Amino acid sequence: GNRLNGTIPDWLYDTSSLVALYIYNTEISGTISDRLWRMSELVQINLHHNKLTGTIPSIPANASPKTLGCDLSGNQLRGTIPDSLFRLSSMRGLLLNNNTLTGTLPEIPIPGIVQLVHLDVGRNNLVGTLPSSLWELPSLQSLDLYWNNFNGTINFPQGTGIMPLKNLWAQRNSFDGTIPTDWSNFPSLEELLLYGNNFASQPIPQSILDLSNLTYVDLSENKFNGSLPSLVNTASLKYLYLNDNNLEGSLPSSLPPLITNLWLSNNSLSGTIPDGFYANSPNLTQVLLQNNLLNGSMPAGACSGGRTWNRLEVDCQFPDRQNYVACSSDCCTACF
């Protein structure tokens, strides 16, 4: 095709009146000059999904860019994230995901990037602990840290006020220790993805499942223990993944009204499946219960009334197996 290639031309950096720079999904390669930050009227920088290499240039001390949005995702940028990016008080969106950036996430000066709404540094090679100032950004709605090598604990500083955070994606890192027990400062939280970390043994904080706007929770592949949290306040919840932990105790008597996917496999849950388990959840299409210690049989209503399952999985009946769920093959989609 006619995909743009070559490097960013020098003359472009001299276009002083340019307000928006959109060069994306091209074969453009080479490095980004720090002259980018001297383009004093430039508000939007969109250079995502090109073949840009080198490092992200620091903002020169005597430059005062007005940048609102900067998307450098999907390139081959390396090196560390310049501290100076977090001093841009105008910046609302900073997307650096899908590169090969290294080092730590810089400490965020206050007041600094106070208008930041969306920060995405996912799929890089970032390490170290998170700066505590991250949890004090007053406008932050979406924080994407997924698929890096961050470690240490997730800690909210004392006295953090109500935060507008809607999405926290921190899956596939090396976080450890315990997660905070009080999440009440995040009443707008809709998506919480913490799967595939090394969080220490602790019960799942009830305050997470008491957040009324939650739609998507994935805490799988950790070491959470104790019993399942109450789901009484989860009216918006659609996806709940708690598989591959060390959870015990019984299943809840009923499920949230909007839930579609419930994965509880590979835990130590016991008892029977309650009669009304599915009754109030007409959208439910995936329930994974295998590799637990459940007994009894699948409730009668599970496969009647026109309900169709995408996945309904339990432990099968085998000779010498004590814990299994009796479920006919025209009802359960798989047994293990």
Side-chain angles (χ1 to χ4, degrees):
N2 296 323
R3 295 190 76 181
L4 208 57
N5 56 30
T7 58
I8 298 173
D10 267 353
W11 58 261
L12 195 66
Y13 295 116
D14 296 326
T15 317
S16 58
S17 58
L18 196 67
V19 174
L21 175 60
Y22 290 102
I23 305 174
Y24 56 89
N25 289 332
T26 77
E27 302 289 316
I28 286 272
S29 58
T31 59
I32 303 170
S33 167
D34 69 354
R35 291 164 66 196
L36 182 73
W37 303 119
R38 298 186 189 277
M39 299 170 72
S40 56
E41 299 304 311
L42 192 59
V43 174
Q44 291 288 347
I45 300 167
N46 200 333
L47 297 173
H48 72 82
H49 292 91
N50 291 301
K51 301 224 165 129
L52 297 168
T53 55
T55 58
I56 300 172
S58 291
I59 299 172
N62 58 355
S64 49
K66 297 176 180 171
T67 317
L68 292 179
C70 178
D71 186 351
L72 304 178
S73 62
N75 281 288
Q76 296 154 29
L77 299 169
R78 55 180 172 76
T80 58
I81 300 173
D83 295 9
S84 53
L85 290 188
F86 290 97
R87 289 202 292 272
L88 273 185
S89 58
S90 58
M91 185 89 80
R92 294 175 60 82
L94 180 58
L95 281 61
L96 305 176
N97 50 297
N98 294 72
N99 280 290
T100 53
L101 300 171
T102 52
T104 59
L105 203 55
E107 192 65 46
I108 296 161
I110 304 285
I113 196 164
V114 290
Q115 296 190 58
L116 191 66
V117 174
H118 186 186
L119 176 63
D120 191 341
V121 296
R123 288 190 187 271
N124 280 291
N125 300 315
L126 299 170
V127 297
T129 57
L130 299 180
S132 60
S133 47
L134 201 55
W135 307 110
E136 301 179 86
L137 290 169
S139 309
L140 194 63
Q141 292 182 21
S142 202
L143 176 59
D144 297 321
L145 308 168
Y146 53 92
W147 293 81
N148 278 289
N149 294 304
F150 290 121
N151 61 23
T153 56
I154 288 181
N155 267 330
F156 308 141
Q158 285 275 313
T160 305
I162 298 296
M163 303 295 287
L165 196 67
K166 289 182 177 176
N167 302 316
L168 173 56
W169 289 14
Q171 70 269 29
R172 294 268 180 256
N173 278 286
S174 301
F175 291 118
D176 52 30
T178 56
I179 63 172
T181 53
D182 184 1
W183 290 71
S184 59
N185 287 344
F186 301 97
S188 304
L189 198 64
E190 295 171 9
E191 298 186 358
L192 177 63
L193 279 62
L194 300 179
Y195 67 83
N197 280 289
N198 298 315
F199 290 117
S201 299
Q202 74 179 113
I204 293 170
Q206 182 61 49
S207 65
I208 293 176
L209 276 305
D210 285 344
L211 296 170
S212 61
N213 290 302
L214 272 185
T215 61
Y216 196 126
V217 177
D218 193 338
L219 306 180
S220 61
E221 298 177 51
N222 281 292
K223 295 177 192 147
F224 292 112
N225 62 14
S227 54
L228 289 170
S230 163
L231 302 177
V232 171
N233 296 323
T234 52
S236 305
L237 192 65
K238 294 180 181 176
Y239 304 94
L240 180 60
Y241 301 101
L242 302 177
N243 50 291
D244 296 273
N245 280 292
N246 300 316
L247 300 170
E248 319 169 313
S250 55
L251 295 173
S253 56
S254 67
L255 296 174
L258 300 181
I259 197 160
T260 68
N261 291 20
L262 175 67
W263 290 19
L264 298 174
S265 50
N266 299 309
N267 282 291
S268 298
L269 300 167
S270 57
T272 59
I273 301 174
D275 280 343
F277 192 54
Y278 314 111
N280 304 324
S281 310
N283 303 330
L284 195 62
T285 61
Q286 291 191 14
V287 175
L288 275 57
L289 299 173
Q290 70 270 26
N291 294 320
N292 279 291
L293 303 171
L294 296 166
N295 279 303
S297 55
M298 189 59 66
C303 291
S304 59
R307 186 191 287 277
T308 53
W309 294 99
N310 176 269
R311 295 177 73 179
L312 178 58
E313 303 179 4
V314 295
D315 289 321
C316 316
Q317 183 172 359
F318 284 129
D320 304 327
R321 179 185 267 181
Q322 287 188 313
N323 301 103
Y324 64 86
V325 176
C327 184
S328 64
S329 59
D330 58 355
C331 180
C332 286
T333 60
C335 75
F336 292 82

